[in-house]
Amino acid sequence: MSIISEISGDGDSQLPLAWTTACTGNGVSLPPAKSNYLYSVRESTAKFIGSARQTAVAISPDGAKNYMDHFDMKKFEKYVKHINSWTHQFPLVFDSMALELNLIALLDLLQLGSGFRKELHAAAGRGASDTIRFGCISLHISQTALDAKGLQALTLGDVSQHFGIPLFGEERPMVEGSSAVMVSQASLLRPLAEIILGCLHDTGKRLEQGGFASLADFIIKMCSELPTAAHLVEKLVSAFPSLRDAAEIDGQQVYLFKKAQLIAYDVCQRFGKSDPKFAFPDIGDMTLFVDNVVPAMMQHHGLIVPSDAIAAKIKAGQELTLAETTAMRAASIAAAQLVVDYANSAESALKPGDIAINQATLGNYWWHEGKDPELRVLQ
């Protein structure tokens, strides 16, 4: 299950076609001005899942209670602490805080490609998330310029080289039986490389048009205006089409904003203790950073129940439609709120630990859990 964020109507025809066509949220209007985008995600997903017309996925209040009544708090805290510390564990040297912030933000911007994970494992022995991390680290080590102008200067060959994504398949003779002229067809992973390039090009272009030196420069200035996660998410989503993770299903706007929230969360985790403008007081208002892994874990735990048709497609490894993917992701957010509400209620016997139970921490926990060897097969 994967979804690429929307592209605005003023798309650049010079951007890779795979990127522009993959932006399936094109045309989805953003929340009204001065809206809290974190609340917009929670409210739009709850409204969509609660609609009488929505029959793709159900959420289970009883499942939420049963899950939390048997919750493994020690495992939860161990996994969340590991996720929260990843930004502190880069095996890299940075000349400034801004360069480190820029790389973290770009890595989160590029959290895509789950639909290519089988091909990536076959070609490079890495999944989508590790491929993006590998590529971003390679760009940094090679001292490639990753400011606004540098992002626009990257080529498809650069993406292929740094991210380890082959652009061409095996060579074959143009004329059968003759090796005089050999040709290569495009690799099955070439569209992923084009999506990455389009995302970087478009982001660099919009940064330069807005007068920002880099993505880090944008984030620093937005957080200096108002140091909240909601403000940063709103500004990121409004400025960059690659972060407008939304869809219109049956006439309803469904907001997810996974990557924009992920940027805000990671910036807070890495720099919040050393710089007050990144110490977002509303970090607990975030929703799940929902991709393909989290819904799989929530289905496994009985928190969401897909229709028989969707369950059959998931079991067979078939790609879900945009409507089906959106329903699974939206249901995950709605169900996670049931879990959060129950866990923090007087009815729950769960004793509070060192880490608050909210949608963001639960999402990190389920994502990490989904990487356990015995659970990977569920995705």
Side-chain angles (χ1 to χ4, degrees):
M1 297 174 294
S2 60
I3 179 173
I4 306 299
S5 311
E6 77 167 76
I7 179 173
S8 63
D10 59 340
D12 188 340
S13 61
Q14 296 181 344
L15 291 170
L17 180 61
W19 182 73
T20 57
T21 56
C23 293
T24 51
N26 186 24
V28 178
S29 59
L30 295 177
K34 298 183 179 180
S35 296
N36 183 311
Y37 276 37
L38 305 182
Y39 294 166
S40 294
V41 172
R42 187 174 282 103
E43 292 167 359
S44 70
T45 51
K47 180 180 178 181
F48 173 67
I49 293 301
S51 170
R53 299 177 60 185
Q54 194 286 123
T55 59
V57 189
I59 61 177
S60 174
D62 289 338
K65 292 182 179 181
N66 181 66
Y67 176 71
M68 290 313 297
D69 285 341
H70 300 86
F71 193 63
D72 189 339
M73 181 62 82
K74 289 185 178 180
K75 181 180 178 182
F76 166 76
E77 293 194 334
K78 176 184 177 182
Y79 280 16
V80 175
K81 286 179 181 178
H82 176 79
I83 293 293
N84 287 351
S85 66
W86 80 262
T87 55
H88 297 264
Q89 299 174 348
F90 263 133
L92 305 171
V93 175
F94 297 95
D95 293 336
S96 68
M97 179 276 287
L99 287 176
E100 183 177 1
L101 170 58
N102 199 58
L103 189 67
I104 290 172
L106 287 174
L107 199 154
D108 287 341
L109 174 77
L110 294 176
Q111 286 304 303
L112 47 79
S114 61
F116 294 91
R117 61 188 181 278
K118 291 182 180 179
E119 292 83 359
L120 285 168
H121 276 290
R126 291 185 293 268
S129 181
D130 286 342
T131 294
I132 298 302
R133 184 181 177 89
F134 178 87
C136 288
I137 289 176
S138 177
L139 286 168
H140 176 79
I141 291 175
S142 66
Q143 299 185 340
T144 301
L146 297 176
D147 57 5
K149 292 184 180 295
L151 294 180
Q152 296 175 79
L154 291 169
T155 67
L156 195 61
D158 293 330
V159 172
S160 174
Q161 175 185 348
H162 289 288
F163 290 82
I165 300 174
L167 300 179
F168 299 98
E170 295 182 2
E171 289 189 343
R172 297 181 180 181
M174 179 176 288
V175 179
E176 188 173 351
S178 172
S179 59
V181 180
M182 305 292 287
V183 296
S184 295
Q185 293 184 330
S187 162
L188 294 174
L189 288 169
R190 186 185 181 103
L192 175 59
E194 293 179 348
I195 291 170
I196 292 172
L197 182 65
C199 186
L200 295 173
H201 275 189
D202 186 70
T203 300
K205 179 190 72 174
R206 293 173 190 276
L207 285 167
E208 186 174 26
Q209 289 175 345
F212 299 98
S214 66
L215 188 53
D217 182 39
F218 178 92
I219 293 170
I220 290 169
K221 289 177 178 175
M222 294 306 106
C223 292
S224 297
E225 288 181 355
L226 183 62
T228 68
H231 181 70
L232 178 56
V233 169
E234 176 189 353
K235 295 303 182 181
L236 286 167
V237 170
S238 299
F240 305 109
S242 291
L243 296 176
R244 294 177 196 160
D245 188 4
E248 182 175 325
I249 308 297
D250 294 331
Q252 294 191 55
Q253 313 288 335
V254 183
Y255 304 119
L256 302 164
F257 302 151
K258 168 202 164 185
K259 292 189 290 183
Q261 291 192 78
L262 190 58
I263 290 173
Y265 186 86
D266 284 339
V267 166
C268 180
Q269 292 300 320
R270 177 63 185 92
F271 303 106
K273 292 183 179 179
S274 58
D275 192 324
K277 66 174 167 288
F278 301 127
F280 306 139
D282 57 342
I283 200 75
D285 292 339
M286 288 187 168
T287 63
L288 297 180
F289 315 131
V290 61
D291 53 5
N292 64 304
V293 178
V294 171
M297 291 301 98
M298 297 186 72
Q299 181 184 355
H300 171 68
H301 291 305
L303 300 171
I304 63 173
V305 183
S307 66
D308 290 343
I310 292 180
K313 292 176 75 171
I314 293 173
K315 186 175 181 179
Q318 299 174 357
E319 191 74 14
L320 301 185
T321 66
L322 173 62
E324 292 167 339
T325 299
T326 302
M328 289 290 288
R329 299 175 74 196
S332 297
I333 292 172
Q337 192 58 45
L338 294 178
V339 174
V340 171
D341 291 343
Y342 178 71
N344 293 286
S345 71
E347 185 182 354
S348 173
L350 190 68
K351 295 182 179 179
D354 295 333
I355 296 177
I357 294 178
N358 54 47
Q359 286 214 34
T361 55
L362 280 173
N364 283 337
Y365 171 57
W366 289 324
W367 189 87
H368 193 311
E369 186 182 41
K371 303 303 177 181
D372 289 349
E374 66 272 18
L375 295 177
R376 273 186 177 272
V377 295
L378 299 176
Q379 301 166 36

